[in-house]
Amino acid sequence: MKKLLTAFSLTLLIAGCNATTAEKPTSLQAQYEVALKNAQAAVEKAAAVDGEWRDIRWKKSKKRYLPSAIKAAEAGDYKKALELLEIATFQAEAGYKQAMEQKNAGPRF
Amino acid sequence: MTKLTKRLGPTALALCIGLVLSTQVSAADLEAGKKIAFDRSKGNCLTCHHIDGGTLPGNIGPPLIAMKSRFPDKDKLRAQIWDATAINPHSIMPPLGRHRILSEKEIDLVTDYIYSL
Amino acid sequence: MKKILTLLLSAGLVATATQAVSSPEEDLEKFRIYYEQRFPGVQLDDFGNGPYALDVNKRLQWESMEEFPPYEDYVDKGREIWETPFKNGKSFASCFGKDPSKVRVKYPHWDSKTQQVVTLEGDINKCLKENGEKPFGWKKGKIAHLGAFLGYEARGQRINVVIPDDPKALEAYEEGKHFYYAKRGQLNLACADCHVQYPGHRVRGQLLSTGLGQTTHFPVFRAKWQKAAANGDGMGTLHRRYGGCNGQVRARPFKAQSRQYRNLEFFHTYMSNGLEINAPGYRE
């Protein structure tokens, strides 16, 4: 009985997973593709004003949100990819904003 | 009079519940807040502040003691932690919330912990 | 509408114009006076000893370290590099002149031909390439050993960076200056936040040095770098340190010898004009 149950729940699980991968991927993937473009543009914009933060894509960073997002998407995990892109975009935009706010920074003794 | 009590009743009740809820910070939450505050890759408050129980504290900012008397209003304490530069644009203290160095939940935990000092 | 725009624009222009840019000489004077007033007991040259100028205990530890300085071997290695001829028979002397004690003090400098700041490391690798040799890595190893030797030979001479009256040179200086004072990275910290506002204070266990004198002893032997190196070589260049201080605040470090870091070095070294060269140094 117990075996049956686990088998049953397993099939359910698999079915459930299949259902999500069968139905949602196009929309998630499409979302991802848009988000990736946005993130990349935001990162370039921050880099252009020397405002890029450490963990977006620098090779020695342990986090590397942008390349990690691309990796996650390649592995089919669009949900994770979208989460990582959200962070990368936030950091890029904040870095750009910071650089703009600091434009007139100078000595103050 | 009856009108007033009718009006005040629910407010007082809400206030009471609020108070009870806000003062009831579990020991586990305090411990979690402390961990975040001490962790170098999280709050890293010890880099700049003395906190009782922390090793090798820096002395850039004031020691974090008797916080309730310095910040009777806990929201103000949270605001200082969330973005010190809103209060002093030149502050060296990192904007822990504004730059998402900590999550909102983590800021809450740290605030509760610091408030207990 | 257009009128309003031009009005606004000209107002903006006026605002930036009145925020007159101070000259390098004025910057230097204010910078030095600030530290001298803040640390009245410290002799000018002593600022080149970083944290050890500011704390008696640290100084004692450091002085015992200096009895058998760990950088000595690397000065010797640097001398060897200087003296070893290239495959074409020439040597570094063909690029820098025969006297190794006259090299360090020329850097960094503005090169009017290429319209950029030239550093010692830049010229070391330029010399290698021009002579058909493989250039050194930028941040550590041979480039730092040779730098240590040239610094050692120049000890006692004074930093003398010249900012020529050339708008492009001034622009480079201004960019370096801005770099030092602008907050950056997720932690939102400027170099000046730590080294101008809080020298003498501790971040965790480390005592913050003054911006004044911060470049006189480079390349430097750092115990921390020594620990991280498989071969125990703790030597590193100024740009290696810049990268470290940028990464710490969670800003993306720039490449060693990037325009940004060369211009920073230009400003940063100029601020220590008149101080004694005391390279190579030892630091924690």
Side-chain angles (χ1 to χ4, degrees):
Chain A
M1 183 60 199
K2 222 176 176 183
K3 257 192 188 157
L4 238 164
L5 253 179
T6 26
F8 182 66
S9 48
L10 250 176
T11 26
L12 259 184
L13 245 173
I14 290 166
C17 282
N18 272 341
T20 46
T21 39
E23 272 170 39
K24 290 212 173 150
T26 37
S27 67
L28 267 188
Q29 188 177 354
Q31 272 181 49
Y32 162 76
E33 269 152 22
V34 174
L36 178 64
K37 283 224 172 72
N38 285 340
Q40 283 168 331
V43 173
E44 290 310 326
K45 196 171 155 191
V49 294
D50 290 351
E52 187 180 330
W53 290 0
R54 183 189 66 187
D55 293 330
I56 297 179
R57 60 175 175 180
W58 183 49
K59 63 177 189 297
K60 286 190 192 155
S61 159
K62 289 188 187 108
K63 302 196 173 87
R64 309 185 80 222
Y65 295 112
L66 188 59
S68 305
I70 294 171
K71 233 188 195 162
E74 279 166 5
D77 192 346
Y78 290 107
K79 192 164 163 285
K80 186 173 166 204
L82 279 164
E83 278 167 21
L84 292 169
L85 284 181
E86 198 274 330
I87 303 174
T89 309
F90 167 80
Q91 293 210 340
E93 286 171 356
Y96 176 81
K97 191 162 159 252
Q98 178 185 49
M100 290 300 108
E101 283 166 2
Q102 293 294 312
K103 252 191 160 155
N104 293 316
R108 42 178 197 92
F109 296 117
Chain B
M1 182 62 205
T2 41
K3 246 188 184 171
L4 203 75
T5 33
K6 253 190 200 159
R7 263 207 214 150
L8 274 181
T11 337
L13 196 74
L15 261 174
C16 273
I17 293 173
L19 265 178
V20 169
L21 281 181
S22 67
T23 45
Q24 261 188 359
V25 180
S26 72
D29 277 357
L30 284 184
E31 195 49 43
K34 178 177 178 177
K35 223 173 148 199
I36 297 162
F38 284 20
D39 187 336
R40 277 172 199 256
S41 63
K42 292 277 187 184
N44 203 9
C45 319
L46 287 170
T47 289
C48 298
H49 295 282
H50 169 93
I51 301 176
D52 277 345
T55 46
L56 273 185
N59 60 0
I60 307 255
L64 299 180
I65 42 170
M67 293 318 287
K68 280 196 194 82
S69 63
R70 280 152 79 185
F71 287 86
D73 181 355
K74 198 169 167 184
D75 286 347
K76 289 223 170 92
L77 176 61
R78 192 183 192 278
Q80 166 76 29
I81 297 170
W82 198 82
D83 182 10
T85 65
I87 298 137
N88 163 17
H90 297 301
S91 180
I92 192 173
M93 179 162 153
L96 293 137
R98 181 166 64 85
H99 275 184
R100 290 208 211 157
I101 298 158
L102 299 178
S103 70
E104 295 298 320
K105 171 79 187 152
E106 287 170 330
I107 299 254
D108 286 339
L109 289 168
V110 169
T111 305
D112 284 341
Y113 165 64
I114 299 291
Y115 195 64
S116 77
L117 294 171
Chain C
M1 183 59 203
K2 223 175 175 183
K3 248 190 193 159
I4 298 179
L5 253 178
T6 32
L7 231 145
L8 276 175
L9 269 175
S10 50
L13 278 179
V14 172
T16 41
T18 46
Q19 200 189 29
V21 182
S22 46
S23 71
E25 292 79 12
E26 287 165 340
D27 288 344
L28 174 59
E29 195 186 333
K30 284 196 195 129
F31 195 78
R32 189 181 289 182
I33 288 175
Y34 168 77
Y35 288 110
E36 285 180 339
Q37 286 179 347
R38 195 152 167 177
F39 301 100
V42 176
Q43 297 293 308
L44 185 60
D45 279 337
D46 212 16
F47 281 106
N49 293 321
Y52 312 124
L54 310 178
D55 182 277
V56 184
N57 284 327
K58 293 234 177 208
R59 189 177 190 98
L60 287 175
Q61 285 168 21
W62 169 65
E63 278 173 350
S64 68
M65 208 60 212
E66 281 282 331
E67 281 171 26
F68 302 97
Y71 51 72
E72 230 167 24
D73 284 350
Y74 299 101
V75 172
D76 290 341
K77 277 192 200 293
R79 175 175 288 119
E80 236 177 87
I81 294 170
W82 174 266
E83 284 168 355
T84 308
F86 302 141
K87 283 192 251 24
N88 65 6
K90 289 190 194 170
S91 71
F92 279 106
S94 68
C95 303
F96 291 100
K98 281 213 177 68
D99 186 348
S101 75
K102 301 239 165 73
V103 180
R104 163 63 191 259
V105 74
K106 291 181 200 153
Y107 295 93
H109 66 250
W110 178 254
D111 182 47
S112 54
K113 242 187 258 145
T114 57
Q115 293 278 293
Q116 58 176 341
V117 173
V118 173
T119 63
L120 175 60
E121 287 82 9
D123 268 2
I124 287 174
N125 272 347
K126 186 165 163 247
C127 181
L128 285 170
K129 274 192 235 155
E130 281 173 1
N131 285 286
E133 297 280 323
K134 201 169 150 251
F136 297 153
W138 285 121
K139 292 195 288 198
K140 56 186 178 184
K142 287 184 175 169
I143 207 157
H145 305 161
L146 182 53
F149 167 64
L150 294 171
Y152 189 78
E153 291 288 310
R155 274 190 177 184
Q157 296 170 42
R158 294 189 179 275
I159 301 274
N160 181 28
V161 176
V162 179
I163 317 254
D165 194 11
D166 170 339
K168 284 282 176 201
L170 275 172
E171 217 174 87
Y173 167 84
E174 283 297 328
E175 191 190 27
K177 176 171 138 191
H178 177 260
F179 196 107
Y180 201 73
Y181 290 103
K183 285 177 176 293
R184 60 184 71 241
Q186 191 179 24
L187 300 190
N188 202 43
L189 293 168
C191 315
D193 283 341
C194 284
H195 297 298
V196 177
Q197 301 304 320
Y198 291 99
H201 288 250
R202 273 179 286 110
V203 289
R204 290 271 182 179
Q206 284 183 301
L207 196 75
L208 283 169
S209 59
T210 55
L212 180 61
Q214 229 173 12
T215 63
T216 58
H217 59 288
F218 272 87
V220 81
F221 184 98
R222 271 189 93 192
K224 187 179 161 188
W225 289 339
Q226 177 188 28
K227 252 193 234 154
N231 62 359
D233 180 355
M235 295 297 309
T237 63
L238 184 59
H239 291 205
R240 184 179 181 192
R241 185 71 220 213
Y242 285 168
C245 273
N246 270 163
Q248 254 174 21
V249 305
R250 302 190 196 166
R252 179 185 177 153
F254 295 89
K255 291 211 166 81
Q257 301 303 322
S258 58
R259 185 197 80 243
Q260 288 88 343
Y261 281 174
R262 279 183 290 111
N263 289 350
L264 174 60
E265 178 176 344
F266 196 40
F267 160 79
H268 198 194
T269 311
Y270 177 77
M271 284 296 115
S272 293
N273 264 4
L275 268 69
E276 226 174 67
I277 293 171
N278 57 348
Y282 167 82
R283 293 290 185 274
E284 275 171 35

